[in-house]
Amino acid sequence: MLTVKQILQKKISHNKNFEFANFLVPEATQLLQLAEGMIAGHDSFRRLLCELFLTDGLEICLKTLVLEMHLARTQGQLKGSNPASRYRHFLSSLSSQQERERIHKKYPELERLLKVCQRRTLQFVTEVFTHRREEQGQLARQFGFSNALSRIESTGSDSHRGGRRVLLFEDCKGQKLIYKPRPLALDKAFHDFLTWIQRQDPRFDLMGFDIL
């Protein structure tokens, strides 16, 4: 079973800013515990829930943490003989419960925003999990998509409507599909239009797409 720290280390390997997300480990752990009854045995959903919260949570708290690091530096509170060691000292302090409580007390709005982020992330992943469970039979019949998932991840699109965003699903055979958290009537109409053009003149090599 993946832990929050294991998931976080992977994020850090791609983006060093996620080193500040050590501040969010307790909230991410709590979020996984809240969802455990739903996602138990589903590592791909467990990873998705944690990664989405760490990404959105870091966006909320990063500037505050950078400010706190600057204040600690100017007040001589960071230990180390060079900037790199003092930076590491500040990052390690974010793992301290006492330091986290101090920051939350100093910035109460930060704590409120992180709780909102927790709630929205859990709501979105619950919706995704429910839709996938309800439609997995049809996905298998229409696309041959396996119930065994190898990964789920954000495509990098902007979040909207309470933290919802476009996701990429990949099954154990390497087949991929895109999940869009909205009605797809417009996408279906565009697909039908491409198909109509192709039928009118085969010289147009227009790639269509299947929609569930």
Side-chain angles (χ1 to χ4, degrees), residues 198-212:
Q198 187 79 41
R199 289 173 178 169
Q200 302 308 306
D201 191 338
R203 291 176 300 173
F204 289 103
D205 186 16
L206 302 175
M207 183 178 294
F209 44 88
D210 295 324
I211 298 174
L212 177 60

Side-chain angles (χ1 to χ4, degrees), residues 118-135:
Q118 275 185 313
R119 184 174 66 252
R120 287 180 172 179
T121 305
L122 180 58
Q123 181 179 358
F124 174 52
V125 173
T126 299
E127 288 177 3
V128 175
F129 184 86
T130 302
H131 290 159
R132 186 250 177 179
R133 183 180 58 193
E134 292 174 346
E135 298 172 356

Side-chain angles (χ1 to χ4, degrees), residues 4 23 28 42 51 57 80 90 101 125 154 158 161 172 180-181 183 195:
V4 172
F23 180 74
H42 298 275
E51 288 183 347
F90 177 77
E101 288 177 351
V125 173
S154 171
D158 293 336
R161 295 177 56 239
C172 60
K180 293 188 175 182
T195 303

Side-chain angles (χ1 to χ4, degrees), residues 22-23 26-27 65 68 77 79 89-107 110-111:
N22 274 313
F23 180 74
E27 286 86 354
L65 297 178
E68 282 296 306
Q77 297 174 355
K79 297 178 181 179
H89 177 258
F90 177 77
L91 291 179
S92 66
S93 74
L94 297 179
S95 300
S96 162
Q97 181 178 352
Q98 181 179 358
E99 180 64 6
R100 284 194 292 260
E101 288 177 351
R102 182 192 70 80
I103 293 175
H104 281 306
K105 184 176 180 179
K106 185 176 180 180
Y107 305 98
L110 176 64
E111 184 173 15

